[in-house]
């Protein structure tokens, strides 16, 4: 899933673990495993409609966004892998937040009714196991990914 040769120096934090992919013909997408932040070449201060975009994201994410030397605005990533878990930024403001990892567990037979996929007969196989929630420091995004098993098969 992640090819080593697509890892570049992160324009935001300077780590060498920024996963760069082509967004369209002219723009790239950046997802940094070092800092856990993400952006793309369209999200430029003064050009992009941030007001509309920010209507859809948590307050915390707006508070901790960063701007790099090319005026790209970086937001913390939210990782959601159906059969593994979720990693997200958790906290109240830029002075008080951490990465959090939540694993999933399989939905058991008795509760399958509660986990029907709307409009179908199918059932969600996994659900968030809130007991598994674990917090990681701001520098340890990668550890949070590892915790949910992101890098495994
Ligand atoms: Zn970075």
């Amino acid at each position: 899933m992640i090819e080593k040769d697509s890892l570049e120096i992160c324009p935001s934090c300077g780590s060498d673990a920024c996963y760069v992919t082509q967004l369209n013909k002219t723009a790239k997408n950046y997802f940094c495993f070092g800092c856990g932040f993400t952006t793309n070449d369209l999200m430029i201060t003064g050009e992009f409609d941030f007001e509309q975009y920010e209507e859809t994201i948590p307050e915390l994410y707006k508070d901790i966004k960063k701007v790099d030397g090319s005026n790209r605005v970086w937001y913390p990533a939210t990782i959601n892998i159906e059969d593994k878990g979720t990693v997200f930024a958790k906290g109240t403001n830029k002075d008080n937040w951490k990465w959090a990892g939540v694993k999933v567990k399989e939905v058991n037979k008795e509760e399958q009714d509660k986990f029907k996929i709307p409009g179908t007969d199918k059932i969600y196989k996994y659900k968030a196991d809130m007991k598994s929630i674990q917090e990681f420091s701001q520098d340890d995004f990668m550890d949070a990914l590892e915790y949910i098993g992101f890098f495994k098969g």
Side-chain angles (χ1 to χ4, degrees):
M1 181 168 140
I2 296 139
E3 290 159 51
K4 260 250 148 63
D5 56 1
S6 301
L7 292 178
E8 297 180 10
I9 301 292
C10 174
S12 180
C13 76
S15 85
D16 60 1
C18 188
Y19 186 56
V20 181
T21 48
Q22 213 64 40
L23 182 68
N24 61 33
K25 273 197 189 120
T26 54
K28 287 177 179 169
N29 193 72
Y30 306 82
F31 172 85
C32 180
F33 287 96
C35 59
F37 280 62
T38 181
T39 190
N40 63 56
D41 285 331
L42 305 178
M43 299 182 94
I44 305 288
T45 308
E47 294 177 17
F48 184 79
D49 185 357
F50 288 101
E51 211 167 302
Q52 195 189 357
Y53 178 75
E54 291 193 347
E55 280 174 14
T56 64
I57 61 174
E59 285 301 318
L60 175 67
Y61 280 43
K62 298 178 212 173
D63 205 35
I64 61 179
K65 69 187 175 192
K66 306 171 185 183
V67 182
D68 72 14
S70 303
N71 288 324
R72 282 181 293 246
V73 179
W74 295 67
Y75 293 93
T78 299
I79 304 297
N80 206 339
I81 315 259
E82 195 195 350
D83 61 350
K84 291 184 173 154
T86 306
V87 171
F88 57 98
K90 178 175 176 284
T92 50
N93 60 58
K94 63 180 185 314
D95 300 318
N96 176 28
W97 72 274
K98 287 183 161 193
W99 293 109
V102 178
K103 295 183 187 183
V104 292
K105 58 182 179 187
E106 282 192 48
V107 171
N108 60 38
K109 280 223 157 68
E110 295 78 61
E111 38 179 32
Q112 283 183 353
D113 283 351
K114 285 191 277 175
F115 289 91
K116 283 234 168 78
I117 299 174
T120 73
D121 294 333
K122 289 190 191 130
I123 288 151
Y124 288 109
K125 271 182 85 173
Y126 301 93
K127 63 175 182 178
D129 178 8
M130 289 317 288
K131 275 195 210 128
S132 74
I133 191 163
Q134 192 160 315
E135 293 184 351
F136 299 85
S137 79
Q138 294 175 14
D139 297 331
D140 290 334
F141 177 70
M142 203 102 82
D143 290 347
L145 288 180
E146 213 164 302
Y147 176 67
I148 67 159
F150 180 87
F151 299 105
K152 279 190 221 143

